[in-house]
Amino acid sequence: MPANTAPPSGKKKGRRARLIVIVLVLALVAGVGYGAYWGVSTVRASFPQTTGTIKLAGLSGSVEVRRDSYGIPQIYADTDQDLFRAQGFVQAQDRFWEMDVRRHLTAGRLSEMFGKGQVKTDTFLRTLDWRGVAQKEYDTQLSAETKKNLQAYADGVNAYLDGRDGKDISVEYAALKLTNDYKPEKWSPVDSVAWLKAMAWDLRGNMQDEIDRSLMTSRLSQKQIDELYPSYSYSRNQPIVSAGGIDPASGKYDPAAEPTSEFPGDTSGDTGTGDTTEQGQGTNPSTDVGTGDGTGTGTGTGTGLGTGTGTGTGTGTNVGYTASEATEGLASQLTALTSTLDEMPALLGPSGSGIGSNSWVVAGRYTTTDKPLLANDPHLAPQLPSLWYQMGLHCRTVSAACKYDVAGYTFSGMPGVIIGHNQNISWGFTNLGADVTDLYLEKVSGDTYLYGDKEVKFKTREETIKVAGGASRKITVRSTGHGPVVSDRDSELKKVGEKAPVGDVAPDRGDGYAVSLQWTALEPGKSMDAVFEINRAADFDQFRKGAEHFEVPSQNLIYADTKGNIGYQAPGKIPVRSKGFDGRTPAPGWDPAYKWDRYIPFDELPYEYNPKRGYIVTANQAVIDAKKYPYTLTEDWGYGARSQRIVDLIDSKIKDGGKISTEDMGSMQMDNSSQIAKLLMPYLLKADITEPSVREAQKLLEGWDYTQEADSGAAAYFNAVWRNILMLAFGDKLPKELRVKGECLNVRPANGSGPVDDNQRLVRECGQRAPDQAQPDGGDRWIQVVQNIIKDENSPWWSSPATRKDEATKTRDQLFARAMQDARWELTAKLGKDVSSWSWGRLHQLQLENQTLGTSGPGILKQMLNRGPWNLGGGEATVNATGWNAAGGYHVVWVPSMRMVVNVGDWDKSRWINLTGASGHAYSAHYTDQTDKWANGELLDWSFGDAAVKRSTTDTLTLTK
């Protein structure tokens, strides 16, 4: 339940209540001198007209915009161009501030709006050049029809802007005018295309894991790092695709094919590891990365990076730099890069091992409707307004002139529907998590970099960043054959210098190494074409043809149609790396052996159509068993805690002839059972606790059913214990670059990748990472880590040093008992002494913040623009994935950003909900009018057919030519 009062409704009583709130806010503002500027008229000036008639230039006929009681619009037109022109107009009515901020983000122009504080972010984004890539896509890749739709959308946006001052568009512009004479400019089609780059960045795969594994080498051996990144357990958690393979006759993927042989898991190379006195030897010697621990020697007959304290050897160009050399150089680069990346999530949302999405589809033979049911809930950072905008786009008569009858979730600033259904099919997305990024170390000499045995000149371009209230900044962007040099964007990243990681077979360090980024989204593609193709698709073949163009970001696509078919497709531009290169750590850019060879052909990517089991589940788990598939999609899957729980829930429903209803699908979305609690509870309940206050807390767990309801005291205590187990066993052993900023420990200096010397003097090291990005985050990777060692009572991971109040631990049970004690004192400080008053929701709160002025504006603006808190159930790695970062605290950092359950064929019985509301205007009736219901797991009726939409319509606006 929400901790705050319910948001205002759309009725007159609600409007009067909002005016009272506005008056109170304005009175407070007047007290600090702004009362003369701010008035009720200023706040309400930007509210859109939703009834009557408006002339919209460029229309060929009239367009109806019908809104329901939640302000959700359904648009009716007679041509595609009228439909998308109206979509642009309506989205600008509700969300133009959000759209404007997004386009400045993707173009690296935030400083023009918000001043010098955004220069660092802008320089990084200009280096990536999202806007430039989007322009190339528009100019060279997209179809003529897609361009017409984009232009019509832009014309609609600009028709809304025409003649309006900033304060007439959104209250944020009125606030911005106090410090910046900013005026919105016209919308362009490329502004829409560029937003896909931001989403691709948010869902880019394992880049952070690549950085983190490299940073871990300063304190952990390769064996320890491998233990913290365990292999996916295919036997425990089912992959998405359970059958099929590459057909040897056609060379294409066939869901019915039997693989002719098993592939060795990671065909790009395994990791050989050795103990302190042993030689590291890989299990796939022809393509191994040679690594050694302690004084061992990394060996491999291919090419690789040796990260032990010995020397890397091999017949290729194995780079055997030592951990002590790498520690300060590479760590310095990657830490600074991480610092830059940490600033990006403020707008795009955190990325971590727990973030992802759920989707599943059940065939009609297992449903009460006798037709497929499809559910989807993408997990993203909480934003106000929500990332999603619900909408219907309807041609009055579907024909060659008007091809769309589709509804679902859109992005403000982009035409079409991203997730939803048309009159024939429905589809959903989850992040596939493909490894589509690689960092390369580049050997730099003046204006050249080394590649093979040649010095190659950088490609350069100049960029000018305009800064509101200050002088413009000029930067030079350098690029190699791999991609832009991202290390140029921070003073610590310019050069590695004397501490650069080099070995005998690596090039001379010279001025040090730079870091470049290769990423599939930096190449022009056709993803915008795919949006319209999927919106029009009438069957699985047409759906797959659209999916072929959905290159970036790579997503799991699920499908259902009115004829009863269900399906799955893994699309995306996914690189095939050279032998000896697995993409898990930064690669030596000077060595051609580490290049990307090509991309996996679309017709060789996994898919399913009407699988025998009768359902398909995607929740960021592995797509297909690596032993049955010749390509490496990634080595950093989600570990399957959520997906397997969904599979188990479906199986429990359909056993013995049971059927699944629309309501059942919604209930599954709210399942909050803790998988890690099921694993740990037997050990926690038998722990010998003598301290009375800790024993009192332990009793909360007795009889607990592992459900994490907002009012559960047991869930609060268990999650606190889990957090403290993680910190004692793993967090305090990680390097400062991964720990929470400002949290300090007394540690012995790192000494290569082996154990520290007990005679070394302790030094104080403080964490450097933002709380929402720190490790251990408690996601399902960490569940797998603990599951792998739980039966080893004497694992070295259970060791923790003594403190002034605690004895050292050596065993699992000792560490668990200490974690239970620490959790008791932590919750006493946060929730009080009385354990009967504890509840998970009081710890686990959602705060909705406007992503710009609501996070960095003055306090009065934050009060106006932000909402919350809400006390939530659910948690990390659960189906109801209200994620929290165990290293940083209990507050909610990602959420199911929307939920939908599609009743295929009987569309008007489908249900949906958004995190916030349709409107981006503070104090609109529809600013957060869906949030209470979202928090309670409720879904709204989703009207689609003309008659159902008319019944639910409360406001009708007619747009005329």
Side-chain angles (χ1 to χ4, degrees):
M1 293 293 294
N4 59 322
T5 56
S9 71
K11 300 185 190 236
K12 290 182 180 178
K13 182 177 179 181
R15 283 195 282 270
R16 287 197 297 270
R18 286 195 305 282
L19 287 175
I20 292 172
V21 173
I22 292 172
V23 170
L24 291 174
V25 169
L26 296 177
L28 178 60
V29 175
V32 293
Y34 294 116
Y37 182 80
W38 291 92
V40 172
S41 60
T42 301
V43 174
R44 301 191 66 180
S46 59
F47 287 11
Q49 178 181 338
T50 59
T51 60
T53 302
I54 297 176
K55 286 187 177 181
L56 178 55
L59 290 179
S60 63
S62 67
V63 176
E64 271 190 325
V65 182
R66 306 176 191 166
R67 293 179 183 259
D68 67 10
S69 60
Y70 288 88
I72 299 170
Q74 306 278 344
I75 300 176
Y76 291 83
D78 293 317
T79 69
D80 291 345
Q81 303 313 298
D82 285 356
L83 194 63
F84 294 120
R85 185 174 277 104
Q87 184 182 14
F89 183 88
V90 171
Q91 287 192 339
Q93 280 188 305
D94 283 337
R95 298 281 194 97
F96 186 75
W97 168 263
E98 174 192 11
M99 293 163 59
D100 201 12
V101 171
R102 284 180 177 179
R103 67 163 162 184
H104 279 76
L105 166 72
T106 56
R109 296 174 53 199
L110 290 170
S111 301
E112 294 179 26
M113 296 182 77
F114 305 113
K116 63 182 180 180
Q118 295 298 323
V119 168
K120 186 175 180 180
T121 299
D122 280 348
T123 58
F124 186 75
L125 293 170
R126 292 288 184 95
T127 299
L128 297 183
D129 196 26
W130 292 350
R131 171 74 187 207
V133 177
Q135 184 70 59
K136 291 176 183 175
E137 288 186 359
Y138 185 81
D139 292 341
T140 67
Q141 298 292 311
L142 300 181
S143 70
E145 182 172 1
T146 294
K147 290 182 181 181
K148 285 177 63 178
N149 295 342
L150 287 164
Q151 186 62 58
Y153 181 90
D155 290 344
V157 175
N158 292 328
Y160 176 75
L161 296 177
D162 188 32
R164 284 182 166 84
D165 192 24
K167 66 180 175 56
D168 300 321
I169 298 171
S170 184
V171 70
E172 289 94 336
Y173 289 111
L176 199 64
K177 195 172 180 65
L178 295 173
T179 58
N180 179 9
D181 190 24
Y182 172 82
K183 295 180 180 179
E185 62 192 39
K186 287 188 175 182
W187 193 265
S188 95
V190 180
D191 292 332
S192 296
V193 179
W195 181 243
L196 281 173
K197 301 302 172 186
M199 290 308 300
W201 178 257
D202 204 25
L203 303 170
R204 63 192 178 274
N206 77 333
M207 182 172 154
Q208 192 62 59
D209 289 326
E210 190 174 334
I211 292 171
D212 288 356
R213 279 189 288 262
S214 298
L215 293 172
M216 285 180 182
T217 60
S218 68
R219 288 209 166 271
L220 303 177
S221 69
Q222 188 62 45
K223 181 180 179 182
Q224 290 172 312
I225 294 171
D226 289 343
E227 288 174 344
L228 297 186
Y229 286 88
S231 299
Y232 187 91
S233 176
Y234 292 95
S235 61
R236 181 181 294 121
N237 298 327
Q238 293 180 20
I240 297 171
V241 174
S242 58
I246 304 295
D247 178 44
S250 66
K252 299 180 180 180
Y253 190 88
D254 181 352
E258 290 294 333
T260 55
S261 62
E262 285 201 349
F263 299 94
D266 171 21
T267 58
S268 63
D270 298 323
T271 300
T273 60
D275 296 326
T276 55
T277 59
E278 296 176 353
Q279 183 182 49
Q281 180 63 52
T283 59
N284 184 8
S286 64
T287 57
D288 278 353
V289 178
T291 62
D293 302 326
T295 59
T297 302
T299 65
T301 58
T303 58
L305 289 174
T307 55
T309 58
T311 59
T313 62
T315 60
T317 55
N318 196 338
V319 183
Y321 62 81
T322 69
S324 59
E325 288 174 318
T327 298
E328 296 183 29
L330 184 59
S332 176
Q333 288 190 77
L334 297 177
T335 300
L337 177 58
T338 296
S339 176
T340 301
L341 299 181
D342 280 349
E343 298 183 13
M344 300 292 291
L347 288 164
L348 297 178
S351 59
S353 63
I355 197 166
S357 304
N358 301 321
S359 71
W360 66 95
V361 61
V362 182
R365 70 177 184 269
Y366 291 133
T367 70
T368 59
T369 65
D370 295 324
K371 289 288 180 70
L373 294 174
L374 185 150
N376 196 188
D377 55 286
H379 305 158
L380 296 166
Q383 299 182 29
L384 181 59
S386 165
L387 178 76
W388 302 106
Y389 183 92
Q390 295 150 290
M391 180 176 257
L393 301 172
H394 306 278
C395 291
R396 293 188 178 102
T397 301
V398 176
S399 65
C402 199
K403 296 180 282 295
Y404 298 87
D405 188 13
V406 61
Y409 294 87
T410 71
F411 290 146
S412 301
M414 269 181 56
V417 169
I418 303 301
I419 293 174
H421 71 82
N422 60 29
Q423 71 272 40
N424 296 305
I425 75 166
S426 179
W427 66 94
F429 285 6
T430 63
N431 192 25
L432 193 151
D435 187 357
V436 295
T437 60
D438 278 317
L439 296 172
Y440 286 88
L441 304 178
E442 305 285 3
K443 171 65 178 70
V444 178
S445 179
D447 62 353
T448 66
Y449 63 94
L450 182 66
Y451 188 71
D453 57 359
K454 295 181 180 179
E455 293 289 339
V456 182
K457 289 200 71 170
F458 286 102
K459 289 183 179 180
T460 61
R461 69 177 191 278
E462 301 294 322
E463 295 276 353
T464 300
I465 298 172
K466 296 179 181 179
V467 182
S472 296
R473 311 287 179 88
K474 290 188 176 182
I475 63 170
T476 299
V477 177
R478 301 187 296 174
S479 295
T480 72
H482 299 115
V485 179
V486 292
S487 57
D488 283 347
R489 300 285 68 91
D490 189 283
S491 58
E492 293 182 47
L493 293 174
K494 288 181 179 177
K495 296 176 183 176
V496 180
E498 295 181 358
K499 295 296 183 179
V502 297
D504 293 339
V505 296
D508 179 75
R509 68 166 58 90
D511 292 332
Y513 296 152
V515 178
S516 65
L517 170 66
Q518 187 164 12
W519 178 33
T520 55
L522 299 184
E523 300 176 21
K526 297 177 179 290
S527 293
M528 198 68 236
D529 281 347
V531 172
F532 296 111
E533 290 168 346
I534 291 174
N535 281 197
R536 297 191 304 265
D539 56 35
F540 193 57
D541 286 343
Q542 292 179 17
F543 178 75
R544 290 192 70 216
K545 287 177 181 177
E548 183 173 1
H549 291 147
F550 206 94
E551 299 167 328
V552 176
S554 185
Q555 299 289 286
N556 295 307
L557 304 184
I558 61 167
Y559 166 96
D561 64 36
T562 54
K563 294 181 180 179
N565 302 301
I566 66 172
Y568 163 81
Q569 177 67 58
K573 187 181 286 185
I574 303 172
V576 178
R577 293 169 174 82
S578 303
K579 291 184 176 180
F581 178 24
D582 61 9
R584 289 171 59 85
T585 53
W590 54 84
D591 189 344
Y594 289 79
K595 69 180 184 301
W596 288 4
D597 279 346
R598 56 194 174 96
Y599 296 108
I600 302 173
F602 177 78
D603 59 14
E604 296 183 43
L605 288 167
Y607 75 96
E608 279 191 324
Y609 189 56
N610 294 327
K612 292 180 180 178
R613 65 181 176 278
Y615 59 82
I616 301 169
V617 174
T618 85
N620 317 111
Q621 79 271 38
V623 170
I624 187 170
D625 192 329
K627 292 182 178 180
K628 298 179 180 179
Y629 190 65
Y631 298 111
T632 298
L633 300 176
T634 185
E635 296 221 349
D636 292 299
W637 302 111
Y639 282 80
R642 282 181 289 110
S643 62
Q644 191 58 44
R645 175 62 178 171
I646 296 168
V647 168
D648 292 343
L649 288 170
I650 294 173
D651 284 342
S652 69
K653 279 286 184 181
I654 64 177
K655 69 179 180 180
D656 302 324
K659 300 275 188 174
I660 294 175
S661 67
T662 305
E663 292 72 23
D664 291 333
M665 298 285 276
S667 296
M668 291 180 193
Q669 288 180 323
M670 293 302 295
D671 181 82
N672 59 34
S673 178
S674 171
Q675 303 305 297
I676 188 60
K678 292 179 182 179
L679 177 68
L680 295 183
M681 282 285 287
Y683 301 95
L684 301 181
L685 290 174
K686 75 175 185 180
D688 185 15
I689 302 297
T690 57
E691 169 65 36
S693 60
V694 181
R695 174 64 185 133
E696 184 182 29
Q698 185 186 33
K699 287 181 179 179
L700 288 174
L701 303 179
E702 296 175 358
W704 180 46
D705 62 358
Y706 318 126
T707 58
Q708 301 173 97
E709 300 294 343
D711 61 359
S712 171
Y717 182 57
F718 172 79
N719 282 312
V721 173
W722 170 232
R723 165 175 148 85
N724 280 277
I725 287 173
L726 288 167
M727 299 312 297
L728 290 169
F730 309 106
D732 294 349
K733 300 177 177 69
L734 297 177
K736 61 182 181 294
E737 294 86 1
L738 274 68
R739 300 200 312 267
V740 173
K741 186 180 297 183
E743 291 188 0
C744 303
L745 295 172
N746 293 323
V747 300
R748 294 184 176 88
N751 181 25
S753 59
V756 297
D757 183 347
D758 288 339
N759 295 321
Q760 288 177 303
R761 298 182 63 181
L762 296 178
V763 297
R764 192 158 181 80
E765 284 188 354
C766 298
Q768 299 179 355
R769 186 162 289 183
D772 292 352
Q773 299 291 320
Q775 293 293 336
D777 62 17
D780 61 358
R781 172 165 67 87
W782 294 99
I783 295 176
Q784 186 70 54
V785 169
V786 171
Q787 195 153 21
N788 288 351
I789 64 172
I790 190 70
K791 293 183 179 179
D792 182 1
E793 186 177 357
N794 298 304
S795 168
W797 292 110
W798 304 130
S799 298
S800 63
T803 66
R804 283 179 295 179
K805 63 183 182 68
D806 295 306
E807 296 182 359
T809 68
K810 295 294 185 182
T811 68
R812 176 198 63 215
D813 293 344
Q814 290 173 350
L815 185 138
F816 282 12
R818 180 165 159 184
M820 293 174 76
Q821 175 178 290
D822 290 352
R824 184 11 160 157
W825 305 137
E826 181 184 4
L827 293 199
T828 297
K830 292 180 182 294
L831 302 179
K833 280 186 177 182
D834 182 5
V835 299
S836 68
S837 71
W838 291 358
S839 71
W840 176 223
R842 287 176 61 200
L843 281 178
H844 191 54
Q845 293 188 329
L846 168 67
Q847 182 76 40
L848 290 175
E849 295 182 339
N850 177 287
Q851 291 298 294
T852 51
L853 300 181
T855 58
S856 58
I860 185 62
L861 269 179
K862 292 181 181 180
Q863 292 179 44
M864 290 181 66
L865 298 175
N866 298 342
R867 299 290 183 272
W870 280 264
N871 297 342
L872 297 186
E876 182 67 25
T878 65
V879 181
N880 183 21
T882 56
W884 55 287
N885 185 304
Y890 303 98
H891 61 282
V892 176
V893 296
W894 56 76
V895 294
S897 55
M898 61 81 160
R899 298 186 185 100
M900 74 175 191
V901 176
V902 181
N903 196 314
V904 176
D906 197 353
W907 305 114
D908 294 329
K909 292 183 179 177
S910 300
R911 309 296 300 271
W912 63 352
I913 197 76
N914 205 351
L915 173 65
T916 60
S919 179
H921 299 287
Y923 299 107
S924 161
H926 307 304
Y927 192 47
T928 56
D929 59 340
Q930 297 185 50
T931 308
D932 279 357
K933 291 182 179 295
W934 173 92
N936 291 329
E938 299 176 47
L939 298 170
L940 304 178
D941 291 336
W942 180 356
S943 299
F944 179 73
D946 185 64
V949 171
K950 283 182 177 177
R951 285 194 299 270
S952 63
T953 296
T954 58
D955 289 346
T956 300
L957 174 69
T958 302
L959 304 175
T960 62
K961 61 182 181 179

